[in-house]
Amino acid sequence: MDKREKQVKERIVKAMIDLSAEKSWDQITITDIIRESKVARATFYRNFSSIDDLITYGISQFREDYWENAPKNCAEFLCPEMLEYTFDYYRRNRE
């Protein structure tokens, strides 16, 4: 994925997150998302096939970021460094 495509996807994901503060996910429409992200409808569909696809992508990005930055020196998930990282990660991303 090139830099521009990643930036567009990030804008669309951010729009979904921002809108979810105002209404539940099942009430958010693609029209809401394109208006909030300021992208064309064709741009949305070039990147995502549906809102469910967008949500799946957003969750996978959070998961990827979480594991990419997780402590590598932990032999098990419940080591102190991993627990501290996990709580800090969720605190930083709570919204």
Side-chain angles (χ1 to χ4, degrees), residues 31-49:
T31 300
D32 294 333
I33 294 167
I34 62 175
R35 187 177 302 129
E36 181 74 20
S37 64
K38 296 178 176 50
V39 301
R41 184 173 296 274
T43 301
F44 177 89
Y45 282 111
R46 188 171 28 258
N47 290 281
F48 303 104
S49 61

Side-chain angles (χ1 to χ4, degrees), residues 34-83:
I34 62 175
R35 187 177 302 129
E36 181 74 20
S37 64
K38 296 178 176 50
V39 301
R41 184 173 296 274
T43 301
F44 177 89
Y45 282 111
R46 188 171 28 258
N47 290 281
F48 303 104
S49 61
S50 65
I51 291 177
D52 287 344
D53 187 29
L54 166 61
I55 292 169
T56 299
Y57 173 80
I59 291 169
S60 73
Q61 290 304 108
F62 277 110
R63 184 179 32 223
E64 190 176 299
D65 179 61
Y66 175 86
W67 287 110
E68 185 176 294
N69 296 299
K72 308 293 188 250
N73 59 344
C74 290
E76 57 186 63
F77 185 74
L78 295 177
C79 74
E81 294 87 2
M82 189 64 169
L83 288 172

Side-chain angles (χ1 to χ4, degrees), residues 85-95:
Y85 169 77
T86 299
F87 283 111
D88 183 56
Y89 184 85
Y90 284 110
R91 182 189 52 76
R92 284 182 285 123
N93 293 286
R94 68 181 170 261
E95 291 180 16

